[in-house]
């Protein structure tokens, strides 16, 4: 049911918003348009409308800021509730936040209530004014529908509609009748001629001399017509001033009626305000009762939390004692284990020291054996080297002796043979004895056919010598 009701309200709001947009567009088109003939009359209304629109926008921004502030405070309260601490300070903090949220919401509702009351008062006053205007319009319509026996032309209905003077001030009715009889706001002239007339009249500040100059500028009018138009315009200005004074008095009268309506509305609003104050008083009493209930619940919650906190502290104390006992047992086990490790380490060090001493003794003995073996090997190697050196020296000496013997034999042979050879440089270019003997044996050695045997090529420097 609530969802369907909310949906209907939202649809109604959307429908009203579309209607408001359409009315605003129509108002701007017909009343505030620059091409409208009544723009000057509605300029005051346009300024008031613009001012009210600005006020509405600023009020919307203010309301939005207040709602955001309340939302932020509620979110902060929810955030605090996520991490509940069973301490009096935390409870006091929650209480302060709740009171702050409640005070903000109450002040916001109070401001909205005052604004709504003011809007309701303005709405009632506007409604009564609209009803008065509607009654006046109905009276005009009824008068317009009555036939006019005095009218003799087909344009009688229009004339009778314009001759309604019952609900109008006399000066306004006389001015309207004057305009109707004399041809409107330009006295029956067209817009150009009337504008030229006004231009020259304003130039010469209404002096009669302007008629001669206007006669030249308006060739379609005679001097008599211009003088008649001047008389008409002076009458028009005089009646227009009287009309304005009459409208001013009519407005003052309406202001008085408005004051009466306002006093009536204020009396009604006073009654409504008294009822609202009674309602607010009952609401405050209800709020105070709810506060007392909340405080009693809060105190019960405090007691429950204190009990839970005491139980939690007792539990923590027992856990701390168990933990301390376990820590003590663990330290004892650790000390015993440490003692065992120290004993094992000490035994290990003694054993390592004994093994190291044994190793040093063995290394000394080994070094001594190596030293003795080295001494024996060195003596043996020295003997061997000495022997090889002697053998080498003996072989060298033997070779030297052989060389000396060979030289002696050569010397003896040289002494036995005396060779005398003459120097013949031409012998270098002659064939050798071997070559000569070879040339002699060129004939075939067998009985068969002679086969050309390959032989080595003759160098170029020897070719042609045979």
């Amino acid at each position: 049911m609530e969802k369907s009701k909310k949906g209907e309200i939202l649809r109604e709001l959307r429908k009203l918003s579309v209607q408001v947009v359409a009315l605003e567009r129509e108002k701007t088109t017909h009343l505030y348009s620059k091409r409208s003939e009544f723009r000057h009359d509605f300029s005051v209304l346009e300024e008031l409308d613009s001012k009210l629109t600005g006020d509405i926008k600023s009020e919307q921004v203010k309301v939005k800021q207040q709602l955001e502030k309340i939302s932020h405070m509620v979110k902060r309260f929810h955030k605090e509730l996520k991490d509940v601490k069973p301490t009096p300070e935390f409870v006091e903090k929650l209480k302060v936040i709740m009171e702050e949220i409640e005070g903000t919401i109450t002040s916001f509702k109070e401001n909205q209530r005052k604004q709504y009351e003011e809007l309701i008062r303005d709405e009632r006053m506007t409604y009564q004014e609209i009803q008065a205007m509607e009654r006046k319009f109905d009276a005009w319509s009824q008068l317009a529908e009555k036939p006019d026996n005095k009218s003799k032309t087909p344009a009688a209905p229009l004339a009778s509609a314009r001759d309604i003077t019952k609900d109008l001030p006399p000066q306004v009715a006389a001015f309207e009748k004057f305009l109707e009889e004399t041809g409107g706001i330009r006295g029956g002239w067209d817009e150009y001629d009337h504008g030229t007339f006004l231009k020259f009249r304003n130039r010469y500040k209404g002096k009669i001399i302007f008629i001669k100059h206007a006669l030249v500028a308006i060739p379609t009018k005679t001097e008599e017509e211009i003088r008649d138009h001047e008389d008409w315009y002076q009458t028009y200005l005089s009646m227009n001033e009287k009309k304005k004074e009459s409208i001013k008095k009519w407005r003052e009268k309406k202001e008085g009626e408005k004051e009466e309506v306002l006093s009536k509305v204020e009396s009604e609003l006073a009654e409504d305000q008294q009822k609202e104050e009674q309602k607010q008083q009952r609401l405050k009493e209800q709020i105070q009762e709810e506060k007392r209930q909340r405080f009693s619940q809060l105190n019960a919650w405090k007691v429950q939390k204190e009990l839970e906190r005491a139980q939690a502290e007792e539990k923590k104390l027992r856990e701390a004692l168990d933990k301390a006992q376990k820590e003590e047992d663990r330290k004892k086990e650790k000390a015993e284990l440490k003692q065992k490790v120290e004993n094992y380490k000490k035994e290990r060090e003694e054993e390592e020291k004994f093994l190291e001493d044994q190793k040093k003794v063995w290394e000394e003995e080994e070094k001594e054996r190596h030293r003795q073996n080295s001494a024996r090997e060195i003596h043996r190697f020295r003997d061997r080297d000495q022997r090889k050196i002697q053998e080498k020296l003996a072989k060298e000496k033997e070779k030297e002796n052989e060389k000396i013997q060979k030289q002696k034999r050569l010397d003896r042979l040289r002494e036995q043979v005396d060779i005398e050879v003459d120097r013949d440089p031409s012998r270098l270019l002659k064939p050798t004895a071997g070559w000569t003997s070879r040339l002699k044996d060129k004939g075939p050695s067998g009985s068969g056919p002679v086969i050309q045997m390959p032989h080595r090529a003759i160098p170029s420097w020897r070719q042609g010598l045979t």
Side-chain angles (χ1 to χ4, degrees):
M1 291 295 293
E2 291 181 358
K3 288 184 179 179
S4 62
K5 190 175 180 180
K6 287 181 181 179
E8 291 177 0
I9 292 172
L10 290 175
R11 284 193 294 272
E12 187 68 23
L13 287 175
R14 281 194 289 269
K15 184 178 178 182
L16 290 174
S17 121
V18 172
Q19 292 178 359
V20 167
V21 172
L23 289 173
E24 288 287 340
R25 185 166 56 249
E26 187 176 356
K27 177 186 67 177
T28 305
T29 304
H30 295 290
L31 300 182
Y32 303 153
S33 177
K34 293 182 179 179
R35 294 190 295 272
S36 176
E37 297 179 358
F38 306 101
R39 177 174 174 79
H40 179 70
D41 298 330
F42 290 108
S43 60
V44 179
L45 181 61
E46 185 178 4
E47 292 177 0
L48 182 61
D49 187 15
S50 176
K51 181 182 177 182
L52 291 176
T53 304
D55 295 341
I56 290 171
K57 290 182 178 179
S58 62
E59 186 66 24
Q60 287 177 350
V61 172
K62 189 183 298 183
V63 170
K64 185 177 180 182
Q65 291 176 353
Q66 291 178 351
L67 291 175
E68 288 179 352
K69 180 181 177 182
I70 294 172
S71 174
H72 177 70
M73 295 170 68
V74 172
K75 288 179 180 178
R76 191 183 69 176
F77 182 68
H78 287 172
K79 187 177 180 181
E80 293 290 340
L81 288 177
K82 289 181 180 179
D83 187 14
V84 178
K85 299 176 182 178
T87 58
E89 292 80 6
F90 181 75
V91 174
E92 188 66 26
K93 184 178 180 182
L94 289 180
K95 179 181 175 182
V96 170
I97 295 174
M98 288 172 62
E99 290 179 351
E100 185 178 358
I101 294 172
E102 185 178 3
T104 306
I105 294 173
T106 304
S107 62
F108 176 73
K109 290 171 68 176
E110 184 66 23
N111 291 333
Q112 293 298 310
R113 185 184 64 79
K114 291 179 180 178
Q115 291 178 3
Y116 289 149
E117 288 177 355
E118 186 177 355
L119 290 173
I120 290 170
R121 184 172 65 251
D122 294 341
E123 182 184 6
R124 288 179 180 176
M125 183 177 66
T126 307
Y127 179 70
Q128 291 180 2
E129 291 180 353
I130 290 172
Q131 283 184 336
M133 295 298 293
E134 286 180 350
R135 287 195 296 270
K136 187 178 291 186
F137 292 156
D138 292 338
W140 288 353
S141 300
Q142 291 172 3
L143 289 174
E145 291 174 356
K146 293 179 180 180
D148 191 1
N149 297 325
K150 295 181 180 181
S151 59
K152 297 180 181 180
T153 61
L158 180 62
S160 63
R162 290 183 178 177
D163 290 340
I164 297 172
T165 58
K166 182 179 180 180
D167 295 327
L168 293 178
Q171 291 82 358
V172 177
F175 181 74
E176 294 294 332
K177 187 175 181 181
F178 171 75
L179 291 179
E180 182 181 358
E181 292 174 352
T182 57
I185 59 174
R186 290 189 291 272
W189 284 23
D190 59 14
E191 184 177 358
Y192 177 79
D193 291 344
H194 184 67
T196 307
F197 171 81
L198 292 178
K199 183 175 70 174
F200 282 96
R201 190 177 188 281
N202 293 333
R203 181 184 298 175
Y204 291 97
K205 299 180 179 179
K207 295 179 181 179
I208 199 68
I209 194 173
F210 85 93
I211 296 177
K212 295 182 181 180
H213 298 278
L215 183 63
V216 178
I218 310 173
T220 58
K221 304 293 181 181
T222 63
E223 183 178 356
E224 187 67 23
E225 290 176 340
I226 294 174
R227 290 181 181 276
D228 293 341
H229 195 68
E230 168 65 14
D231 296 337
W232 171 88
Y233 188 69
Q234 290 180 0
T235 306
Y236 170 80
L237 292 177
S238 174
M239 296 185 72
N240 192 20
E241 288 295 327
K242 293 178 180 179
K243 173 192 170 183
K244 290 181 179 179
E245 293 177 359
S246 176
I247 291 173
K248 183 177 179 182
K249 292 178 181 178
W250 178 80
R251 284 180 178 174
E252 292 175 354
K253 181 181 177 182
K254 287 296 178 181
E255 287 293 331
E257 295 177 357
K258 184 177 179 181
E259 291 294 332
E260 293 178 1
V261 173
L262 282 176
S263 62
K264 184 178 179 181
V265 171
E266 286 178 357
S267 62
E268 292 178 358
L269 285 176
E271 295 177 0
D272 294 341
Q273 186 175 4
Q274 186 176 3
K275 294 179 181 178
E276 185 66 24
E277 288 178 356
Q278 293 175 358
K279 183 178 177 182
Q280 289 293 328
Q281 184 64 27
R282 290 194 298 271
L283 181 61
K284 287 181 179 179
E285 292 175 357
Q286 185 179 357
I287 291 172
Q288 292 295 331
E289 183 64 25
E290 290 178 357
K291 280 186 177 181
R292 285 193 293 272
Q293 292 178 0
R294 283 200 298 270
F295 284 143
S296 62
Q297 293 174 1
L298 186 60
N299 291 328
W301 180 78
K302 285 182 181 180
V303 172
Q304 182 66 25
K305 288 299 180 181
E306 287 293 332
L307 181 60
E308 292 177 358
R309 185 173 64 82
Q311 292 175 354
E313 289 180 355
E314 184 180 358
K315 184 178 178 181
K316 286 182 180 178
L317 183 59
R318 286 198 302 269
E319 290 177 355
L321 291 175
D322 294 340
K323 187 176 180 181
Q325 185 64 34
K326 290 179 180 178
E327 185 70 21
E328 187 68 24
D329 295 340
R330 191 180 64 82
K331 286 182 179 180
K332 288 181 180 179
E333 292 178 359
K334 187 176 180 180
E336 292 175 357
L337 182 62
K338 186 176 180 182
Q339 187 63 33
K340 289 180 181 179
V341 170
E342 291 291 336
N343 294 334
Y344 174 76
K345 187 177 180 181
K346 188 175 181 181
E347 292 175 358
R348 186 65 182 270
E349 287 177 354
E350 291 177 355
E351 184 178 354
E352 288 179 355
K353 187 176 181 182
F354 175 74
L355 292 175
E356 188 176 356
D357 294 340
Q358 292 294 328
K359 185 178 179 182
K360 286 181 180 180
V361 172
W362 180 79
E363 287 178 352
E364 290 295 334
E365 293 176 353
E366 190 68 23
K367 285 181 181 179
E368 185 63 26
R369 284 195 300 272
H370 278 297
R371 193 164 44 250
Q372 292 176 3
N373 292 333
S374 298
R376 285 196 298 271
E377 290 294 327
I378 289 171
H379 184 67
R380 187 172 63 83
F381 287 150
R382 282 180 181 175
D383 292 343
R384 187 190 64 181
D385 293 342
Q386 190 67 28
R387 189 171 57 254
K388 286 185 177 182
I389 289 171
Q390 290 177 0
E391 290 176 358
K392 186 177 180 182
L393 290 175
K395 287 181 180 180
E396 289 179 355
K397 189 175 181 180
E398 185 178 357
K399 286 181 181 181
E400 186 68 28
N401 291 333
E402 289 178 357
K403 189 176 181 181
I404 291 171
Q405 292 296 330
K406 184 178 180 180
Q407 187 65 32
K408 286 180 178 181
R409 285 196 303 272
L410 289 173
D411 289 341
R412 283 197 301 271
L413 289 173
R414 287 193 187 96
E415 289 177 356
Q416 292 176 4
V417 180
D418 188 13
I419 301 173
E420 292 290 339
V421 180
D422 295 333
R423 186 176 183 81
D424 187 5
S426 63
R427 193 166 59 89
L428 180 62
L429 301 177
K430 292 180 179 181
T432 61
W435 180 255
T436 304
S437 61
R438 184 177 179 183
L439 290 177
K440 289 180 179 180
D441 298 335
K442 276 187 177 181
S445 59
S447 58
V450 179
I451 300 172
Q452 186 177 359
M453 298 297 290
H455 55 80
R456 294 180 179 180
I458 300 172
S460 60
W461 61 276
R462 288 181 63 188
Q463 293 177 1
L465 295 178
T466 55

